[in-house]
């Protein structure tokens, strides 16, 4: 770079004596400063400096990159813990938003599980006319058992039915006081389900009704089917609710991060002025979002755990009353981990949105 | 090192901060930029720092055409320029050491190199024994020296100082100027914005004089 101006060339350091030698610099404090550099590892001359900078080894850069990741992660966590009450509030908000859909999901998953158990044992109850004899019923049973669409047929005679009723209902004395057995003979038909198609069930029902000895046919599985459909609907609603609450978490974290960015505005400006890239500046805030999400997720697990403990004893008692060995099922280890990761991811995304909306606007002026 | 060709800067509100500025600075030069407040000193510095883009004209710094530089390149460009501010721009949530280390951490130096270079820079400004302190407890002159240490720690080829002695008494300003002169002697290009006429007289260096956004003087003091 050559200048045409004489004054410029005249001022080149190379063409004039060093200003450091001039007597006018003899202020006492200034002199004390000038004596010291001999001790310092003197910076190399300017001409070499560009080369020195480009010589930062790639390995060092990677090391520094990962070091900045870990310091950002630790620093942002420490910052959150330095204001525990405020952080706990944010964590709680996130935890509640995570726990509600998760709890509903667990509930529906359990109901569905319950429904599946019932569907396996679903039966068609064929009630026979009262005048039908046991021999006739037995004949019907063997005939039905050979059908392709029927897996199993059990005959419960009126007397057997009464015994079972006495045993299970605890109304033995009442039953004993009855003059005659009011129960009809019953054939319990377990269909061989071909993907549980409704048409097959209906045709089976029709053919069973065709027998003159049959008074009525009850499909025990119909309500199970309806329950299944309700479960599907319920699950969809859980996902919808989960999506909405995730949006809420995004907004909460976005706003929290926005405040954090405003609080550290000065630092951001200085970092940008000394050559910090946008991703360097963004990194601590992204980690903050991640910690908010993960903390909220963990807290949600605690809430779910308490709720599970609280509900499961009641459920177990209820199941015992129904003589079922049904047990409430939780999320399990992997489900819990997924929940925490999902919450962390949501936190990170919320932070990312806030960072790239607000951080870009902060430019040194 | 720095070349301004027909550079104008007009802000959105129509105010023309700089109009048709032409000058060139050789590598290793030390010069002053003077003028009343509002004359365009800060704008000129900001143009070099890429904090603002010129409305017209071309700026070349160390071979880079600043008009052709993308936003993503700006951070890397800034790492070659040290800046000193009147209000120091130090961070009071960390120690003197960490303030000075900031540019090196950003540039991705190893932990070992950072410690070595920060101590060398602090030694240069005679603040080595105060590295563990928070800069808020330092005097104005000491804070300014921390700012200078931070500006030079990355061994920049160029140093920009905006009113570095603005708040300091003459004795302290002299101290700061001596530091700048030492860096200049090892080849760093130095541009200092100042309206302290006494200081300019004592330093007896090339001066760019700005009046209402126009370059009216270029040379040793009139």
């Amino acid at each position: 770079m050559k200048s045409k101006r004489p004054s410029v060339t005249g001022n080149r350091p190379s063409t004039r004596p060093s200003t450091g030698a001039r007597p006018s610099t003899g202020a006492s404090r200034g002199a004390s400063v000038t004596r010291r550099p001999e001790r310092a590892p003197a910076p190399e001359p300017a001409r070499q400096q560009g080369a020195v900078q480009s010589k930062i080894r790639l390995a060092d850069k990677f090391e520094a990159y990962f070091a900045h990741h870990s310091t950002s992660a630790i620093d942002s966590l420490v910052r959150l813990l330095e204001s525990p009450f405020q952080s706990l509030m944010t964590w709680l908000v996130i935890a509640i938003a995570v726990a509600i859909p998760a709890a509903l999901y667990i509930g529906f998953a359990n109901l569905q599980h319950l429904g599946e158990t019932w569907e396996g044992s679903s039966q068609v109850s064929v009630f026979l006319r009262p005048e039908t004899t046991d021999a006739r019923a037995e004949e019907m049973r063997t005939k039905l058992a050979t059908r392709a669409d029927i897996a199993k047929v059990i005959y419960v005679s009126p007397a057997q039915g009464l015994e079972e009723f006495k045993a299970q209902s605890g109304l033995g004395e009442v039953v004993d006081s009855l003059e005659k057995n009011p129960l009809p003979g019953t054939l319990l038909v377990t269909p061989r389900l071909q993907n549980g198609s409704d048409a097959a069930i209906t045709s089976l029902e029709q053919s069973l009704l065709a027998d003159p000895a049959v008074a009525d046919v009850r499909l025990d599985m119909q309500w199970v089917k309806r329950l299944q459909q309700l479960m599907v609907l319920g699950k969809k609603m859980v996902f919808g609710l989960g999506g909405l609450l995730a949006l809420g978490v995004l907004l909460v974290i976005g706003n929290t991060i926005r405040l954090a960015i405003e609080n550290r505005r000065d630092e951001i400006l200085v970092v940008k002025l000394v050559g910090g890239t946008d991703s360097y500046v963004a990194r601590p805030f992204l980690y903050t979002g991640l910690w908010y999400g993960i903390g909220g997720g963990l807290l949600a697990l605690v809430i779910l755990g308490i709720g599970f403990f609280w509900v499961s004893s009641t459920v177990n008692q209820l199941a015992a009353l129904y003589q079922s060995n049904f047990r409430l099922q939780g999320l399990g280890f992997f489900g819990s981990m997924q929940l925490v990761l999902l919450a962390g991811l949501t936190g990170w995304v919320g932070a990312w949105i806030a960072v790239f909306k607000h951080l870009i606007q902060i430019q040194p002026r | 090192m720095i070349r301004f060709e027909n550079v104008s800067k007009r802000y959105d509100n129509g105010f023309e901060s700089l109009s048709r500025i032409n000058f060139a600075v050789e590598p290793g030069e030390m010069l002053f930029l003077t003028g009343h407040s509002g004359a365009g000193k800060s704008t000129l510095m900001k143009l070099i720092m890429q904090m603002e883009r010129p409305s017209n004209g071309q700026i070349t710094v160390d071979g880079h055409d600043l008009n052709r530089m993308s936003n993503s390149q700006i951070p890397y460009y800034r790492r070659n320029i040290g800046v000193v501010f009147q209000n120091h721009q130090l961070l009071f949530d960390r120690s003197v050491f960490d303030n000075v280390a900031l540019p090196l951490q950003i540039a991705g130096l190893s932990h070992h190199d950072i410690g070595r270079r920060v101590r060398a820079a602090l030694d240069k400004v005679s603040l080595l024994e105060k590295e563990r302190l928070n800069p808020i407890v330092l005097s104005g002159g000491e804070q300014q020296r921390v700012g200078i240490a931070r500006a030079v720690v990355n061994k920049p080829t160029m140093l920009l100082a905006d009113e570095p002695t603005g708040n300091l008494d003459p004795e302290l300003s002299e101290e700061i100027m001596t530091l700048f002169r030492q860096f200049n002697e090892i080849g760093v290009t130095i541009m200092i914005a100042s309206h302290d006429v006494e200081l300019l007289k004592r330093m007896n260096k090339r001066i760019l004089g700005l009046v209402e956004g126009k370059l009216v003087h270029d040379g040793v003091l009139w």
Side-chain angles (χ1 to χ4, degrees):
Chain A
M1 206 186 301
K2 266 240 184 262
S3 170
K4 290 161 211 138
R5 289 167 189 270
S7 63
V8 173
T9 46
N11 255 5
R12 277 189 201 166
S14 55
T15 58
R16 55 200 304 269
S18 160
T19 44
R22 293 198 308 141
S24 66
T25 59
S28 59
R29 291 184 68 162
S32 76
V33 173
T34 48
R35 254 184 267 118
R36 302 194 66 132
E38 295 144 25
R39 260 183 33 200
E44 294 90 315
R47 287 299 88 219
Q48 291 178 20
Q49 283 167 9
V52 168
Q53 295 209 326
S54 62
K55 258 193 249 162
I56 299 173
R57 287 186 308 125
L58 205 61
D60 277 349
K61 284 216 165 192
F62 269 116
E63 200 187 303
Y65 178 77
F66 289 118
H68 187 242
H69 266 284
S70 60
T71 49
S72 299
I74 294 165
D75 280 359
S76 51
L77 187 59
V78 167
R79 268 173 202 269
L80 289 187
L81 295 176
E82 273 171 0
S83 52
F85 186 73
Q86 218 179 339
S87 305
L88 191 67
M89 294 306 262
T90 312
W91 276 327
L92 259 180
V93 169
I94 297 164
I96 292 168
V98 171
I100 289 172
L104 286 175
Y105 178 82
I106 294 172
F108 277 113
N110 275 295
L111 277 180
Q112 200 170 30
H113 177 66
L114 201 60
E116 276 162 12
T117 352
W118 282 333
E119 190 180 36
S121 66
S122 70
Q123 290 170 330
V124 180
S125 302
V126 181
F127 298 107
L128 305 176
R129 291 191 187 282
E131 63 272 17
T132 315
T133 60
D134 281 1
R136 166 88 175 102
E138 198 57 41
E139 189 188 316
M140 281 173 75
R141 192 194 72 80
T142 37
K143 210 178 106 193
L144 285 175
T146 56
R147 283 181 59 148
D149 56 352
I150 288 173
K152 203 169 82 179
V153 184
I154 299 170
Y155 173 61
V156 182
S157 70
Q160 279 173 333
L162 196 64
E163 282 305 309
E164 273 183 34
F165 183 71
K166 267 164 78 175
Q168 287 184 14
S169 65
L171 297 173
E173 286 176 21
V174 181
V175 172
D176 285 342
S177 68
L178 291 171
E179 284 174 16
K180 64 171 200 157
N181 187 354
L183 296 176
T186 310
L187 287 168
L188 299 177
V189 176
T190 307
R192 199 187 301 274
L193 284 181
Q194 304 287 339
N195 303 324
S197 102
D198 287 343
I201 300 288
T202 317
S203 77
L204 177 63
E205 184 189 2
Q206 292 303 324
S207 70
L208 286 171
L209 267 174
D211 195 306
V214 172
D216 197 6
V217 174
R218 285 284 163 84
L219 296 179
D220 291 351
M221 67 215 310
Q222 201 84 44
W223 72 274
V224 175
K225 288 260 172 238
R226 291 185 188 129
L227 184 72
Q228 291 281 313
Q229 272 324 107
L230 278 176
M231 287 305 114
V232 173
L233 183 69
K235 274 202 164 175
K236 273 189 181 169
M237 283 169 70
V238 167
F239 279 114
L241 186 70
L244 279 177
L245 287 170
L247 194 67
V249 169
L250 282 185
L251 293 177
V252 167
I253 289 181
N255 200 43
T256 313
I257 298 290
R258 184 181 62 81
L259 291 177
I261 290 173
E262 282 305 317
N263 282 340
R264 294 171 73 182
R265 196 185 185 89
D266 291 343
E267 183 184 346
I268 294 167
L269 286 179
V270 171
V271 168
K272 284 198 173 184
L273 265 181
V274 296
T277 56
D278 283 340
S279 43
Y280 183 93
V281 179
R283 206 161 291 147
F285 298 107
L286 295 181
Y287 272 107
T288 307
L290 187 69
W291 292 132
Y292 272 131
I294 287 180
L298 288 173
L299 210 54
L301 281 188
V302 173
I303 293 174
L304 287 175
I306 294 171
F308 187 81
F309 184 73
W310 186 52
V311 169
S312 64
S313 60
T314 319
V315 168
N316 289 347
Q317 282 170 16
L318 199 65
L321 285 181
Y322 278 95
Q323 289 163 343
S324 157
N325 56 359
F326 175 77
R327 288 287 175 276
L328 207 55
Q329 302 208 319
L331 277 178
F333 179 75
F334 286 105
S336 306
M337 289 301 106
Q338 279 174 354
L339 187 75
V340 173
L341 277 182
L342 205 64
L345 192 70
T346 313
W348 186 85
V349 170
W352 197 89
I353 293 170
V355 157
F356 282 89
K357 190 162 173 285
H358 300 285
L359 216 52
I360 301 300
Q361 287 170 359
I362 299 181
Q363 289 293 348
R365 286 266 174 273
Chain B
M1 192 68 193
I2 307 172
R3 181 192 291 273
F4 272 55
E5 286 168 286
N6 251 328
V7 174
S8 299
K9 175 64 189 178
R10 185 189 297 272
Y11 285 99
D12 290 341
N13 58 14
F15 175 70
E16 191 161 54
S17 186
L18 290 175
S19 56
R20 302 184 154 272
I21 302 289
N22 284 287
F23 70 90
V25 177
E26 295 294 310
E29 217 182 316
M30 179 168 178
L31 75 162
F32 285 84
L33 190 60
T34 194
H36 294 291
S37 54
K41 299 192 297 287
S42 295
T43 306
L44 200 149
M45 294 278 198
K46 284 175 182 174
L47 288 175
I48 297 175
M49 277 307 285
Q50 288 276 55
M51 289 153 75
E52 302 276 4
R53 299 263 189 183
S55 317
N56 268 310
Q58 193 183 17
I59 306 170
T60 318
V61 177
D62 204 9
H64 303 288
D65 179 349
L66 298 198
N67 287 342
R68 287 167 182 246
M69 192 175 287
S70 71
N71 283 336
S72 60
Q73 288 174 301
I74 289 176
Y76 303 96
Y77 162 78
R78 283 185 184 150
R79 291 177 194 180
N80 278 317
I81 306 175
V83 263
V84 180
F85 307 91
Q86 180 177 3
N87 54 2
H88 326 311
Q89 300 268 27
L90 299 180
L91 300 174
F92 296 129
D93 63 346
R94 58 194 76 188
S95 66
V96 166
F97 181 96
D98 288 334
N99 264 280
V100 177
L102 190 62
L104 302 181
Q105 287 165 352
I106 290 169
L109 265 72
S110 73
H111 197 68
H112 173 76
D113 285 347
I114 289 177
R116 197 172 50 79
R117 285 222 216 167
V118 169
R119 297 216 164 80
L122 283 175
D123 192 24
K124 190 91 184 81
V125 298
S126 315
L127 285 172
L128 195 49
E129 69 277 13
K130 301 200 170 169
E131 60 169 318
R132 287 285 145 226
L133 297 180
N134 186 304
I136 208 159
V137 304
L138 301 182
S139 71
E142 285 171 329
Q143 288 186 354
Q144 191 56 283
R145 271 149 51 198
V146 175
I148 292 171
R150 185 181 63 195
V152 299
V153 74
N154 207 9
K155 297 181 185 172
T157 49
M158 187 163 74
L159 197 58
L160 300 180
D162 193 359
E163 302 282 0
T165 60
N167 296 324
L168 305 179
D169 59 45
E171 197 187 349
L172 288 173
S173 334
E174 191 61 48
E175 195 178 297
I176 300 294
M177 283 304 144
T178 308
L179 274 176
F180 282 137
R181 211 150 36 208
Q182 286 168 3
F183 288 116
N184 181 232
E185 277 164 19
I186 57 169
V188 181
T189 310
I190 298 182
M191 184 186 249
I192 302 166
S194 175
H195 60 256
D196 183 348
V197 179
E198 288 307 309
L199 181 83
L200 298 181
K201 276 182 187 164
R202 277 202 309 277
M203 295 299 287
N204 195 29
K205 295 277 187 185
R206 178 186 172 192
I207 293 168
L208 298 177
L210 286 170
V211 173
E212 289 177 354
K214 292 184 177 63
L215 190 62
V216 295
H217 176 84
D218 184 358
V220 186
L221 199 64
W222 50 86

